[in-house]
Amino acid sequence: MAERLLEVSDLSTHFFTYAGVVKAVNGVSFSLDRDKTIGIVGESGSGKTVTALSVMRLVPDPPGKVVAGSIHLKGRDLLAISEDEMRAVRGNDIAMIFQDPMTSLNPVFKVGDQIVEAIRLHQGKDKREAWAQAAELLAKVGIPDAKKRVNQYPHEFSGGMRQRAMIAMAISCNPDILIADEPTTALDVTIQAQIIEVVREMQAQYHSGVILITHDLGVVAEMSDKIMVMYGGRTVEYGSVDETFYNPHHPYTWGLLGSLPRLDLAEKTRLTPIKGNPPDLIALAPGCPFSGRCGYERPECRENWPELEIVGPEHGVHCWIPGEERLATRAALPRFKEQVA
């Protein structure tokens, strides 16, 4: 049986602002096992990054605060430990590759200095050993001439190289969990493929669990074992990659998949955008946050959040539409018709 690394239960994180309470994450639950990857998908503002920052306890307070739920790392409640204890967890047990390496790397310090700081903090090595390890890590993630590059500044690195440097920093202490927040954003396709391969190699070497946050469903399909679909701060559907892609149950998941191009459909089959705008997280209705944009909503959708419905092995959905009606509705959509139009 796989080792359970992380267990997040009913996590809620809110931001208390002058305009009102921003309910960024509401009752999110998921788990992560060693050697496994969970992909968290959803459009901007759905709560993906705030969920990851909550796990790392990096939500700025004020205005943000985890108001409910629990986060257990190998049985240890991360919300119950002190900040000093949590500082020892970050980098050592859980590491994060942030979305924008140019702003995440300090521009006035050499790349090597920033990797060395984590090594010396968590592993207690002297400066010479830490610098040698930093060069080895840069070489390991595919940066050429690493012994020279370790003495350079972030502005001397390309976008792909900065992202590799962030990965080197994240794996410097062999963490059990690696959180990758949009690791391929703003990179060209060739570099994206290389970054994905680096993350996969590092996971295989260190047997880490990976939380992959992305808009790119192609990256999720290639890397993940499980998918969690978020919208309006809630999990609307979760399941294995095959179940979520080939047997999706929530209308929002249909919308995400319907907006992707497919080569196996007729040329004249059009992409179907999701109509409307994301919800106002300050004025969320008590029901499904997708109700205002869903073409199949009913009165209860706005009034009450639906209970979790198990629709397959490790596959669940929060939706008021009855199961048989969901399947019939989905089958009529061009994206999910079995035959080529």
Side-chain angles (χ1 to χ4, degrees):
M1 185 176 178
E3 179 187 356
R4 178 61 47 87
L5 295 176
L6 185 69
E7 189 81 45
V8 177
S9 301
D10 294 321
L11 178 68
S12 294
T13 302
H14 296 171
F15 291 84
F16 298 87
T17 71
Y18 291 111
V21 179
V22 179
K23 299 177 180 178
V25 176
N26 291 293
V28 168
S29 299
F30 66 93
S31 60
L32 178 66
D33 295 338
R34 188 174 294 282
D35 289 311
K36 299 296 182 181
T37 299
I38 179 170
I40 304 180
V41 301
E43 61 194 76
S44 296
S46 60
K48 308 183 301 297
T49 297
V50 175
T51 298
L53 293 175
S54 300
V55 171
M56 295 285 288
R57 273 183 52 179
L58 289 175
V59 174
D61 182 10
K65 188 175 181 61
V66 176
V67 297
S70 62
I71 304 169
H72 286 88
L73 173 66
K74 295 191 290 188
R76 186 184 187 187
D77 189 354
L78 297 185
L79 297 180
I81 63 178
S82 68
E83 181 57 34
D84 286 341
E85 291 175 299
M86 189 63 206
R87 194 174 292 114
V89 168
R90 294 191 203 104
N92 200 36
D93 299 303
I94 307 179
M96 187 166 179
I97 305 168
F98 292 93
Q99 185 169 352
D100 186 355
M102 194 61 224
T103 57
S104 300
L105 291 168
N106 192 320
V108 301
F109 288 100
K110 295 176 181 178
V111 170
D113 283 320
Q114 300 180 61
I115 300 174
V116 164
E117 181 181 11
I119 296 172
R120 297 193 68 185
L121 175 65
H122 294 293
Q123 298 187 16
K125 293 187 176 181
D126 63 36
K127 191 171 183 178
R128 179 177 296 179
E129 289 177 319
W131 270 92
Q133 184 174 338
E136 290 174 6
L137 286 166
L138 289 182
K140 188 174 291 185
V141 298
I143 292 181
D145 202 6
K147 290 183 179 180
K148 175 184 175 183
R149 291 288 190 176
V150 77
N151 284 294
Q152 293 182 331
Y153 292 88
H155 74 269
E156 299 178 88
F157 281 43
S158 67
M161 290 173 65
R162 286 194 293 267
Q163 193 63 279
R164 291 169 188 268
M166 287 295 299
I167 295 172
M169 191 183 305
I171 66 172
S172 61
C173 299
N174 306 343
D176 287 317
I177 297 173
L178 183 63
I179 302 175
D181 186 5
E182 299 282 1
T184 59
T185 297
L187 301 176
D188 63 60
V189 176
T190 303
I191 302 301
Q192 286 184 19
Q194 293 173 1
I195 295 298
I196 291 169
E197 188 59 32
V198 168
V199 174
R200 294 173 74 170
E201 288 176 359
M202 296 304 102
Q203 181 181 27
Q205 180 173 350
Y206 299 112
H207 301 287
S208 303
V210 174
I211 299 174
L212 175 65
I213 299 170
T214 183
H215 292 89
D216 193 332
L217 292 176
V219 172
V220 170
E222 184 175 352
M223 286 192 62
S224 300
D225 300 290
K226 295 191 296 184
I227 300 177
M228 182 170 75
V229 183
M230 291 189 68
Y231 185 82
R234 289 190 180 274
T235 301
V236 296
E237 184 167 4
Y238 75 87
S240 67
V241 169
D242 286 345
E243 277 287 307
T244 307
F245 273 81
Y246 297 107
N247 187 29
H249 275 257
H250 198 278
Y252 180 61
T253 312
W254 304 344
L256 290 179
L257 294 172
S259 64
L260 292 176
R262 272 179 58 174
L263 298 177
D264 59 337
L265 295 180
E267 287 186 17
K268 294 183 180 180
T269 302
R270 299 177 63 87
L271 298 180
T272 306
I274 302 174
K275 297 180 180 180
N277 297 310
D280 182 354
L281 297 179
I282 294 178
L284 276 176
C288 178
F290 191 58
S291 59
R293 302 174 72 183
C294 181
Y296 316 100
E297 70 169 308
R298 50 200 68 204
E300 57 266 36
C301 294
R302 291 181 179 267
E303 297 168 0
N304 296 291
W305 172 244
E307 294 292 328
L308 177 66
E309 178 185 351
I310 303 300
V311 294
E314 297 188 19
H315 187 191
V317 64
H318 291 273
C319 187
W320 282 112
I321 304 173
E324 291 186 1
E325 184 178 336
R326 280 200 306 269
L327 296 179
T329 302
R330 185 188 70 196
L333 298 174
R335 169 78 196 195
F336 302 102
K337 288 182 178 179
E338 295 183 358
Q339 72 276 15
V340 176

